[in-house]
Amino acid sequence: MPTDSIAPAEDVSPKADLPPVEELLSTAVEAVGGVERPGQIKMVQAVQHSIQSGDHLAVQAGTGTGKSLAYLIPSIRHAMTSKGAVVVSTATIALQRQLVDRDLPRLSEALAPQLPHEPTYAILKGRRNYLCRYKASAGWPDDEQDQLFDPREVSLTGRMVQRIQEWAQETETGDRDELVPGVNEQAWRQFSVSARECLGATRCPSGMECFAELARARAGESDVVVTNHALLAIDAMEDFPLLPEHEVVVVDEAHELVDRVTSVVTGELSEPMVTLAARRVGKLIEPHLGDRLVEAGEDLKALLAVAPAGRLDELPEVLGLTLALIRDAAWGCITALGPRMSSDKDDPEGAGLRKAAFTALDEVHDTAQRMLDAFGHAEEVDRAEVVWLEAGTERRPPLLRVAPLTVAGMLRDKLFGDRTVILTSATLALGGAFDGLARQWGLGAKEGGKERSGWTGLDVGSPFDHPRSGILYVAKHLPQPGRDGLPEAYLEEITELIEAAGGRTLGLFSSMRAAKAATEALRDRLSVPLLCQGDDSTMLLVKQFSEDEPTCLFGTLSLWQGVDVPGPSLRLVIIDRIPFPRPDDPLSSARQRHVAAKGGNGFMSVAATHAALLLAQGAGRLLRSQHDKGVVAVLDPRLATARYAGFLRDSLPPFWPTNDPAKVREALRRLSAS
């Protein structure tokens, strides 16, 4: 069973002359001009213990703890005595860049005198993130006669293609993230390949200078490899390894692991995908076989155009027949292509065409089969996946999606099975316990009637004095939020709070429609500048918000987790409603039903857990440095009155709580005047 405390173990490493982690931490903190914190010391000891014992560790470390140093130091120390690297996985590019550009360089230099050699590190991304030299210079199937009916969009993509071509002549890494400003997917896909499409270094004419292979080679020689959750999942689940050999994985931003893994294993099927597969197979097989696939795709297009969007609990007969046609037509093309590995090593262009065709056909065939297999179960508990139809837009046609109802077993067997995993975030103990997320990760699964052991949960706290620095205000007097936009009472409440704070407000809304509606309604009522997500790039809006104290910024999901604005520019965080998933969300509703069918509480396991994570992340925007003070105002009265309110409040930082609007406005006025 998980525990809430852990004692440091004796050092049993093969090299006893290595300094203990506490000494290395002191060196590192002194080098960066910081101060050791009790939570940081506790975490560095816990991570070291986990690496030595082989038990998995989930550690919650509040903002300001210094958790990056606390997991990097034991990781580097372990890498000094092991054959493989330590892999650090993050959810966001921002944290990857922080680790590689700031934390690891300073740490490596500081620790070098005390270690056998100066620690080395590298960043490794999925192959799609690197420019493919061969595809950029050689003939390739023309995938990109895309559904771009807007001439302006076509022209924009053309200019981006030209910019990529110019950049390709000078880049040393081929890393897409170094191409600034960025380019759209339509342009980038013309210069990149997936791992499945790649010919391989030995067969590709550009294999010796391949950017992806060079990045992988650097990673293979490094002590610490920084990657992302998606690549970590693919590496764990595919037959071909993408990451270098490793025994230890650190998953930072671990609260996002389940969603990122789910995205990786979610399948899609649409008419353009089927047509693309037929186009790729092109002249490589008899024309009538490709025509069958095109016709099946056209049948799917006609069917999806008139079908209602949403979750499919039963398989309509006509859809079942269409999926079977697509599957069989794709298999006919695959069979006609013959052996997957061509014997002609002198024809890389032909090999590239065949590999691209196989990749597209496999995806269409396998996804159609997955969708057929998702139905026909006698009991709900036997169902493994859910299928839904996503409505089309002006830029994208309707498509079918299929996703697993849980990734717990997948993670338990593939990620946690033969390596030690440390999971960390500022938000892991939901409702005051780690059990909810542990079950989603597969660590809390029942085995033989007993709870799985081999993992520990640890909350090292926060350096912030939350009750003295922040107020949690729940507007209990307001009506429950409805579906018809923000009530007038909410707009009045927001106005009074912002006026009391003198601006300085981050408004977090459950939908973009609500954020825009609030912005339009309040711009005439407020005397302070009011920005809304979508007015400009999010990065520029956050910069403007942080540099001009009276400015307010309203937005939605990415702002709940991605804003770091310490100082007087942020005194008030407003949350319009508890961020439950939409009742008609196909995946979350199916997961709730599945948990209930197995005897659990679907609402608490799925919807309330989702809401608790986002609430905690949103509330975490308030205090970003030791001197920050302010208010988190939740306008949804259910946080005070509902049965599940205690679980949600226990997931939040321990701010001083109140339901009194007068006290909150007075506190904000005092802060504004200080």
Side-chain angles (χ1 to χ4, degrees):
M1 290 292 289
T3 60
D4 61 359
S5 64
I6 190 169
E10 293 183 7
D11 189 350
V12 294
S13 65
K15 290 194 175 183
D17 56 336
L18 284 180
V21 289
E22 296 87 351
E23 183 178 330
L24 294 173
L25 177 62
S26 296
T27 300
V29 170
E30 182 180 354
V32 300
V35 177
E36 285 188 56
R37 305 175 180 97
Q40 188 179 45
I41 296 171
K42 193 174 183 182
M43 181 173 173
V44 80
Q45 293 171 341
V47 174
Q48 174 73 357
H49 179 276
S50 177
I51 291 173
Q52 291 177 344
S53 68
D55 285 348
H56 307 304
L57 172 68
V59 54
Q60 177 167 284
T63 301
T65 302
K67 63 182 171 66
S68 296
L69 285 184
Y71 64 67
L72 286 174
I73 286 170
S75 297
I76 288 173
R77 189 179 187 280
H78 172 73
M80 295 288 131
T81 63
S82 65
K83 295 180 180 179
V86 171
V87 171
V88 176
S89 177
T90 76
T92 61
I93 293 174
L95 182 52
Q96 289 177 35
R97 293 257 60 100
Q98 176 189 312
L99 291 171
V100 173
D101 296 341
R102 191 189 74 181
D103 295 346
L104 281 166
R106 294 193 296 181
L107 188 57
S108 179
E109 182 180 0
L111 298 185
Q114 295 179 269
L115 298 174
H117 64 262
E118 183 170 335
T120 56
Y121 51 90
I123 189 168
L124 187 59
K125 305 174 184 179
R127 192 170 290 269
R128 272 282 189 198
N129 290 277
Y130 298 99
L131 180 87
C132 173
R133 289 187 185 272
Y134 177 58
K135 191 170 184 179
S137 62
W140 200 267
D142 185 8
D143 301 345
E144 313 310 329
Q145 299 169 3
D146 262 293
Q147 320 304 311
L148 296 174
F149 301 115
D150 185 342
R152 292 171 298 179
E153 191 73 23
V154 174
S155 176
L156 176 63
T157 299
R159 291 195 296 273
M160 289 180 175
V161 166
Q162 183 177 358
R163 192 150 57 82
I164 296 172
Q165 290 170 332
E166 295 169 354
W167 172 75
Q169 303 303 314
E170 60 188 39
T171 178
E172 296 181 359
T173 65
D175 186 340
R176 178 181 180 178
D177 291 329
E178 294 182 8
L179 182 58
V180 179
V183 296
N184 64 27
E185 279 299 310
Q186 286 82 8
W188 183 252
R189 281 205 305 268
Q190 298 182 50
F191 296 88
S192 66
V193 297
S194 68
R196 291 181 178 274
E197 293 170 318
C198 177
L199 287 174
T202 59
R203 297 174 60 83
C204 178
S206 302
M208 296 299 293
E209 53 183 2
C210 171
F211 288 123
E213 291 294 330
L214 290 172
R216 191 173 175 215
R218 286 192 296 271
E221 298 171 354
S222 301
D223 297 312
V224 177
V225 177
V226 178
T227 188
N228 57 69
H229 294 351
L231 187 62
L232 180 70
I234 295 170
D235 176 75
M237 296 169 193
E238 294 286 0
D239 295 331
F240 46 87
L242 301 174
L243 296 169
E245 181 181 349
H246 58 282
E247 302 170 347
V248 176
V249 176
V250 177
V251 180
D252 203 342
E253 301 174 308
H255 61 279
E256 293 203 45
L257 180 63
V258 169
D259 285 346
R260 299 299 173 114
V261 172
T262 299
S263 295
V264 167
V265 297
T266 295
E268 297 180 359
L269 192 64
S270 64
E271 181 271 333
M273 292 177 60
V274 178
T275 301
L276 171 62
R279 189 191 310 146
R280 281 191 173 183
V281 81
K283 299 177 182 179
L284 300 176
I285 60 174
E286 292 293 326
H288 73 277
L289 294 173
D291 292 343
R292 281 181 56 200
L293 187 57
V294 171
E295 291 169 3
E298 290 173 348
D299 290 345
L300 181 67
K301 178 180 180 179
L303 185 60
L304 299 188
V306 297
R311 192 181 72 210
L312 298 174
D313 293 330
E314 302 293 338
L315 180 63
E317 183 178 0
V318 64
L319 177 58
L321 292 172
T322 303
L323 290 173
L325 282 173
I326 291 172
R327 176 199 61 193
D328 296 343
W331 182 250
C333 294
I334 291 170
T335 304
L337 273 174
R340 289 182 178 263
M341 297 297 293
S342 171
S343 59
D344 188 358
K345 295 184 179 180
D346 297 326
D347 182 21
E349 183 175 343
L353 292 169
R354 289 172 56 80
K355 193 70 178 287
F358 273 121
T359 300
L361 290 168
D362 285 341
E363 184 175 5
V364 167
H365 173 273
D366 295 350
T367 303
Q369 186 62 60
R370 271 182 73 183
M371 291 177 176
L372 290 168
D373 291 343
F375 300 96
H377 302 286
E379 302 291 339
E380 173 62 31
V381 293
D382 299 323
R383 193 190 296 264
E385 300 203 284
V386 58
V387 178
W388 71 95
L389 172 60
E390 196 167 291
T393 65
E394 291 183 2
R395 294 174 175 240
R396 181 185 54 73
L399 56 83
L400 289 169
R401 293 185 187 271
V402 56
L405 287 166
T406 175
V407 295
M410 201 178 301
L411 288 172
R412 182 176 64 245
D413 298 338
K414 301 293 188 179
L415 179 60
F416 296 101
D418 57 358
R419 53 181 65 85
T420 302
V421 183
I422 293 99
L423 305 112
T424 185
S425 168
T427 309
L428 293 181
L430 303 180
F434 292 88
D435 296 0
L437 285 179
R439 280 192 293 270
Q440 293 188 11
W441 297 327
L443 294 180
K446 298 285 186 179
E447 293 184 356
K450 297 181 180 179
E451 194 77 15
R452 177 186 172 95
S453 60
W455 71 277
T456 299
L458 174 68
D459 184 354
V460 300
S462 166
F464 301 151
D465 187 347
H466 286 93
R468 295 178 64 86
S469 300
I471 296 173
L472 174 64
Y473 165 55
V474 181
K476 187 177 179 181
H477 63 283
L478 291 179
Q480 285 197 18
R483 295 189 177 185
D484 300 325
L486 291 173
E488 177 61 26
Y490 278 52
L491 296 174
E492 292 177 0
E493 186 80 21
I494 295 172
T495 301
E496 292 173 356
L497 288 168
I498 291 177
E499 287 177 342
R504 301 181 175 91
T505 299
L506 177 66
L508 302 177
F509 293 83
S510 53
S511 69
M512 185 56 73
R513 184 177 67 174
K516 289 182 176 179
T519 303
E520 293 173 6
L522 295 175
R523 271 187 172 144
D524 293 337
R525 304 189 190 191
L526 295 170
S527 59
V528 295
L530 179 52
L531 307 175
C532 185
Q533 191 175 3
D535 291 347
D536 205 330
S537 75
T538 299
M539 181 178 67
L540 290 176
L541 290 173
V542 172
K543 184 174 185 291
Q544 186 176 344
F545 171 60
S546 64
E547 292 178 351
D548 183 29
E549 285 189 22
T551 296
C552 302
L553 174 61
F554 287 2
T556 185
L557 190 60
S558 62
L559 296 186
W560 286 69
Q561 304 183 78
V563 175
D564 186 6
V565 181
S569 292
L570 178 52
R571 295 299 195 204
L572 172 63
V573 174
I574 294 177
I575 297 175
D576 70 328
R577 63 191 298 161
I578 298 172
F580 291 119
R582 289 170 54 94
D584 59 353
D585 179 83
L587 183 54
S588 66
S589 62
R591 284 177 166 173
Q592 288 187 60
R593 184 180 63 179
H594 188 67
V595 170
K598 296 173 74 172
N601 187 323
F603 171 78
M604 293 301 296
S605 296
V606 180
T609 295
H610 172 92
L613 273 174
L614 277 181
L615 270 179
Q617 288 287 311
R621 300 310 96 199
L622 181 66
L623 303 184
R624 309 303 295 178
S625 73
Q626 290 284 356
H627 303 293
D628 289 347
K629 294 181 182 295
V631 172
V632 174
V634 181
L635 307 185
D636 191 335
R638 292 175 294 177
L639 191 60
T641 61
R643 293 192 309 275
Y644 50 78
F647 171 79
L648 297 179
R649 290 196 303 271
D650 287 344
S651 305
L652 298 176
F655 297 117
W656 184 77
T658 184
N659 300 323
D660 188 335
K663 287 183 179 179
V664 169
R665 290 196 293 269
E666 180 58 31
L668 287 170
R669 291 189 190 101
R670 287 197 303 271
L671 274 177
S672 180
S674 63

